[in-house]
Amino acid sequence: MKITVDTNVLVRAAVQDDRQQARKAANVLQEADLVAVPVPVLCEFVWVLRRGYKKSVPEVSDAIYRLMKSANVVMNRPVVEAGLSLLDAGGDFADGVIAHEGNWLGGEEFLSFDSRAVSVLQSQGTRARLLS
């Protein structure tokens, strides 16, 4: 079985706040031959765990790193690693994803009204500019 998971499946497996759904999620994740995890799912996953469940950055990062190590999980690793790099540096996972993909698409500079995103990206050597 080759599946694409929705954010709520990953959240149930990670948070274990609904025993029945957590068991179903864990079973399907373990039994699948391939688990496709789209980048938007991980953006939502990080947002839900950080904002909804108040999980720490290390807890969220660890959950994604564990997913990446699973033999049956496939994802766009360079994009996910860019998101994790920014998250671990104090920024937002989605901003790291956006900056990386924008660069891949030919963008030379990340522009934002978000001063924290710009600052963290600049500290990592990414061309970024605050619009003010």
Side-chain angles (χ1 to χ4, degrees):
M1 161 177 67
K2 296 180 179 183
I3 62 171
T4 300
V5 292
D6 190 10
T7 307
N8 54 36
V9 175
L10 295 182
V11 170
R12 289 288 88 73
V15 177
Q16 304 276 316
D17 62 342
D18 179 305
R19 189 175 265 162
Q20 185 177 4
Q21 287 185 358
R23 189 175 339 102
K24 286 181 181 181
N27 287 341
V28 75
L29 291 171
Q30 291 171 358
E31 293 170 2
D33 297 316
L34 180 137
V35 178
V37 183
V39 173
V41 165
L42 291 176
C43 289
E44 288 181 343
F45 179 74
V46 170
W47 191 90
V48 168
L49 292 184
R50 293 284 294 138
R51 303 286 158 83
Y53 289 92
K54 308 297 185 209
K55 298 292 183 183
S56 69
V57 167
E59 289 173 309
V60 174
S61 292
D62 183 58
I64 295 173
Y65 283 120
R66 281 187 277 124
L67 268 175
M68 291 174 75
K69 290 179 184 175
S70 299
N72 64 341
V73 171
V74 294
M75 60 180 70
N76 186 333
R77 292 182 71 90
V79 174
V80 174
E81 289 169 354
L84 284 168
S85 177
L86 201 66
L87 179 66
D88 292 339
D92 185 68
F93 180 87
D95 289 332
V97 165
I98 292 164
H100 181 84
E101 189 165 348
N103 181 266
W104 181 80
L105 291 168
E108 296 178 345
E109 185 177 37
F110 177 91
L111 301 179
S112 180
F113 292 107
D114 182 343
S115 61
R116 188 179 75 173
V118 169
S119 176
V120 176
L121 283 164
Q122 287 174 339
S123 75
Q124 293 190 322
T126 300
R127 285 185 56 196
R129 180 167 36 113
L130 184 64
L131 293 177
S132 53

